[in-house]
Amino acid sequence: MIKFLSPILLLAVISTTTVAQESGKIGFVDTEKILRESTPAKAATEKIDREFSKRQKELQDMGNRLKTLSEKFDKDSLTMTERDRNAKQRELAEMDRDLQRRGREFQEDLNQRRQEEYNALIQRANKVIAEFAEKEKFDIIFQEAVYRNPKIDITDRVLKILNATPSTK
């Protein structure tokens, strides 16, 4: 019986060794870290902030004006005629609706612009990752995983390349 098991055990060891030799280089890239820490991501955030700062300031000013007028109305409403009070309430309600509408439009535009920059950064990062994988002879690089061993995490190496690569925009 021992002679019979020996060839089976030998076959199992050979199969395991062959599988280990055939499995290639595996890597992992933390996309969230790239979107947080890369120079292009930070530049995109600053660019968007500059693009939208004027509109954001206008919305803040409009909100402050509405707040000031509402406080003034609260103080003065007791001495106003009912007709003036109703007119002022309609005016304040209209200003509030306009502020809300502009705020939603601002948020939609901001989200759309962020998505555009995010997509461009992801494309650029994916290109860098693919070039890196070919150069370093990786067989596969994952960008999402439930678990990853830190020794296959190549995020910092990719970040270094991405940060050193000039933008094509």
Side-chain angles (χ1 to χ4, degrees), residues 7 13 19 75-76 85 87 118 127 129 155:
V13 169
V19 169
K75 284 185 210 172
D76 298 346
R85 189 172 39 250
Y118 167 84
K127 183 179 177 189
I129 292 166
T155 305

Side-chain angles (χ1 to χ4, degrees), residues 33-116:
K33 185 174 181 177
I34 287 178
L35 292 174
R36 255 189 343 265
E37 297 179 14
S38 71
T39 301
K42 291 175 183 177
T45 299
E46 289 172 9
K47 180 180 176 183
I48 290 170
D49 289 347
R50 282 190 309 272
E51 285 179 27
F52 284 85
S53 64
K54 182 180 176 187
R55 279 178 65 188
Q56 185 174 23
K57 174 117 174 59
E58 289 171 357
L59 283 172
Q60 287 172 340
D61 291 346
M62 192 175 180
N64 290 336
R65 238 184 349 267
L66 178 60
K67 182 180 176 188
T68 301
L69 290 172
S70 292
E71 289 170 352
K72 183 175 179 352
F73 171 75
D74 289 343
K75 284 185 210 172
D76 298 346
S77 65
L78 296 175
T79 59
M80 297 174 124
T81 66
E82 187 171 339
R83 181 176 159 188
D84 289 343
R85 189 172 39 250
N86 289 339
K88 194 65 170 174
Q89 281 177 326
R90 279 192 301 277
E91 179 185 337
L92 291 171
E94 187 176 319
M95 283 179 71
D96 185 52
R97 279 191 302 276
D98 188 40
L99 178 62
Q100 298 300 322
R101 179 185 53 79
R102 287 182 185 204
R104 282 189 306 274
E105 289 172 356
F106 172 81
Q107 198 59 50
E108 290 169 5
D109 292 346
L110 180 62
N111 290 341
Q112 180 180 354
R113 190 67 185 92
R114 280 185 181 149
Q115 191 63 41
E116 290 168 0

Side-chain angles (χ1 to χ4, degrees), residues 135-149:
K135 180 181 173 195
E136 298 291 324
K137 301 199 182 341
F138 276 84
D139 292 314
I140 191 165
I141 296 179
F142 294 98
Q143 288 183 305
E144 291 191 32
V146 174
Y147 170 79
R148 71 207 179 247
N149 188 319

Side-chain angles (χ1 to χ4, degrees), residues 26-29 147-157:
I26 297 172
F28 174 81
V29 175
Y147 170 79
R148 71 207 179 247
N149 188 319
K151 67 183 174 188
I152 66 166
D153 191 336
I154 59 170
T155 305
D156 290 334
R157 292 167 68 188

Side-chain angles (χ1 to χ4, degrees), residues 39-40 124 127-128 160-169:
T39 301
R124 187 171 165 203
K127 183 179 177 189
V128 167
K160 193 175 193 177
I161 296 167
L162 189 60
N163 290 343
T165 307
S167 176
T168 56
K169 278 189 173 180

